[in-house]
């Protein structure tokens, strides 16, 4: 019974990682950029919801919408100001810029809201659900988190494969120059990609802070790193890979905390990642791409 409890809890945590990883994998798959500021967008989304409820007494739904809107606009702004000028630059330049943006957001949050950890307000009080005649108590929020992740995964897959914008994204992913020659606005497509990824970060921040109700300027650092790990684990650039990688990472972390050590859980997770990449360098669902020279 304990194992089942840990498994469901791990799926809930993994769903949050998967939602964040989807943002990473979309940006990398289409723009070929590693946006390491993505974790700090999560932090900004959490503060936006925190202030909307705590300072302006907004209803929970409105606070969530405010968080999504703030993160979406922030994602577009970051892309336009920080990444667009580096479109033809080396990967190292983009990586250094991403780290700089990350530190800028963290320090801006410290200046605006201080370094103290604040308690995230309870947006929804769903309580627990009893399984097996009440012997197993699981938070309803955990099931909602899993459900939201599955819905996002399905909607995002349909969006990428069925819509005109989604097809433009896939074309840019294959070859930006050819896509531009075919009449696709590459800059707009990349901006939309950042907007979607940042909007997903806001949703993840709400789910994460509802489960672990604490907000501080470094809130998004570790979830961001773990979600990036999940994206690599599943195969970065692959939407199903980000989904599977996130779920597996959450399960591994929860089981490691329960059966090995809470202090060693992160080490176990990264060790498993290393082993997987040694066996399959492209990740679980990543595809090997051959280049013609």
């Amino acid at each position: 019974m304990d194992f089942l409890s840990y498994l469901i809890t791990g799926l809930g945590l993994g769903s949050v990682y998967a939602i964040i990883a989807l943002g990473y994998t979309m940006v990398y798959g289409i723009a070929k950029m590693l946006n390491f500021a993505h974790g700090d967008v999560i932090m900004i989304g959490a503060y936006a919801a925190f202030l909307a409820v705590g300072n302006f007494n907004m209803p929970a739904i409105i606070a969530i919408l405010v968080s999504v809107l703030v993160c979406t606009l922030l994602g577009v702004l970051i892309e336009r100001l920080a990444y667009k000028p580096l479109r033809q630059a080396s990967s190292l330049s983009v990586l250094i810029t991403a780290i700089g943006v990350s530190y800028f957001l963290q320090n801006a949050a410290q200046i605006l809201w201080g370094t103290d950890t604040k308690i995230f307000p309870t947006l929804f009080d769903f309580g627990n659900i009893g399984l097996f005649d009440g012997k197993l108590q699981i938070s309803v929020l955990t099931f909602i988190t899993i459900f939201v992740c599955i819905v996002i995964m399905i909607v995002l897959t349909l969006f990428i494969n069925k819509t005109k914008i989604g097809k433009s994204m896939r074309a840019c992913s294959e070859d930006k120059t050819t896509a531009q020659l075919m009449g696709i606005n590459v800059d707009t497509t990349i901006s939309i990609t950042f907007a979607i990824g940042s909007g997903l970060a806001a949703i993840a921040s709400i789910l994460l802070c509802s489960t672990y109700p604490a907000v501080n300027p470094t809130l998004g650092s570790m979830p961001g790193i773990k979600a990036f790990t999940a994206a690599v684990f599943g195969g970065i650039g692959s939407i199903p890979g980000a989904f599977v990688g996130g779920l597996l990472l959450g399960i591994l972390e929860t089981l490691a905390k329960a059966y090995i050590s809470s202090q060693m859980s992160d080490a176990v997770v990264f060790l498993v990642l290393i082993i997987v990449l040694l066996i399959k360098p492209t990740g679980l669902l990543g595809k090997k791409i051959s280049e013609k020279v």
Side-chain angles (χ1 to χ4, degrees):
M1 199 67 71
D2 286 341
F3 176 80
L4 184 58
S5 175
Y6 296 142
L7 182 63
I8 296 173
T9 302
L11 285 172
L13 178 62
S15 295
V16 175
Y17 290 155
I19 295 171
I20 304 170
L22 286 170
Y24 272 115
T25 208
M26 282 190 66
V27 170
Y28 180 80
I30 294 165
K32 296 297 183 286
M33 293 180 180
L34 293 176
N35 179 24
F36 280 116
H38 193 62
D40 298 289
V41 175
I42 297 168
M43 176 267 295
I44 296 296
Y47 270 110
F50 173 81
L51 295 173
V53 174
N55 290 20
F56 299 100
N57 296 317
M58 293 182 181
I61 295 295
I62 302 300
I64 293 172
L65 292 176
V66 168
S67 178
V68 172
L69 179 62
V70 168
C71 286
T72 300
L73 294 176
L74 178 62
V76 174
L77 186 64
I78 290 172
E79 191 277 327
R80 291 283 176 170
L81 296 181
Y83 298 141
K84 185 178 178 181
L86 301 175
R87 197 82 84 218
Q88 305 302 322
S90 66
S91 299
L92 181 60
S93 298
V94 177
L95 178 62
I96 293 172
T97 301
I99 295 172
V101 172
S102 174
Y103 279 115
F104 172 79
L105 291 176
Q106 286 186 25
N107 283 275
Q110 290 178 15
I111 293 170
L112 291 172
W113 303 302
T115 58
D116 296 337
T117 298
K118 298 174 174 60
I119 303 301
F120 193 79
T122 302
L123 299 182
F124 304 102
D125 187 10
F126 296 110
N128 296 334
I129 184 171
L131 303 176
F132 304 105
D133 296 327
K135 294 179 181 179
L136 180 63
Q137 295 289 324
I138 301 294
S139 170
V140 175
L141 181 61
T142 300
F143 290 107
I144 291 175
T145 302
I146 297 170
F147 175 75
V148 168
C149 178
I150 293 171
V151 170
I152 289 174
M153 166 68 184
I154 294 171
V155 171
L156 197 58
T157 301
L158 292 174
F159 175 80
I160 293 294
N161 292 323
K162 301 295 182 182
T163 67
K164 184 177 179 180
I165 297 174
K167 292 175 182 177
S168 297
M169 289 177 175
R170 285 190 287 134
C172 290
S173 176
E174 291 292 332
D175 191 321
K176 293 183 184 63
T177 303
T178 303
Q180 200 162 21
L181 291 174
M182 297 299 291
I184 294 172
N185 191 323
V186 173
D187 289 337
T188 300
T189 302
I190 292 176
S191 292
I192 292 173
T193 304
F194 270 84
I196 294 173
S198 299
L200 293 178
I203 295 173
S205 73
I206 299 296
L207 295 171
L208 181 66
C209 290
S210 295
T211 305
Y212 307 98
V215 185
N216 58 61
T218 58
L219 164 71
S221 298
M222 188 54 70
I225 292 172
K226 289 181 179 177
F228 174 71
T229 302
V232 175
F233 193 11
I236 193 163
S238 166
I239 290 177
F243 176 75
V244 172
L247 295 183
L248 289 177
L249 195 75
I251 293 171
L252 279 172
E253 181 179 336
T254 304
L255 293 179
K257 285 180 179 178
Y259 294 111
I260 301 176
S261 166
S262 58
Q263 287 80 21
M264 292 293 293
S265 60
D266 291 344
V268 171
V269 167
F270 290 119
L271 177 62
V272 172
L273 171 69
I274 292 170
I275 293 171
V276 169
L277 292 182
L278 286 174
I279 298 171
K280 197 173 189 301
T282 56
L284 294 176
L285 300 182
K287 296 179 179 179
K288 187 176 181 180
I289 300 174
S290 57
E291 293 186 11
K292 294 182 179 179
V293 292

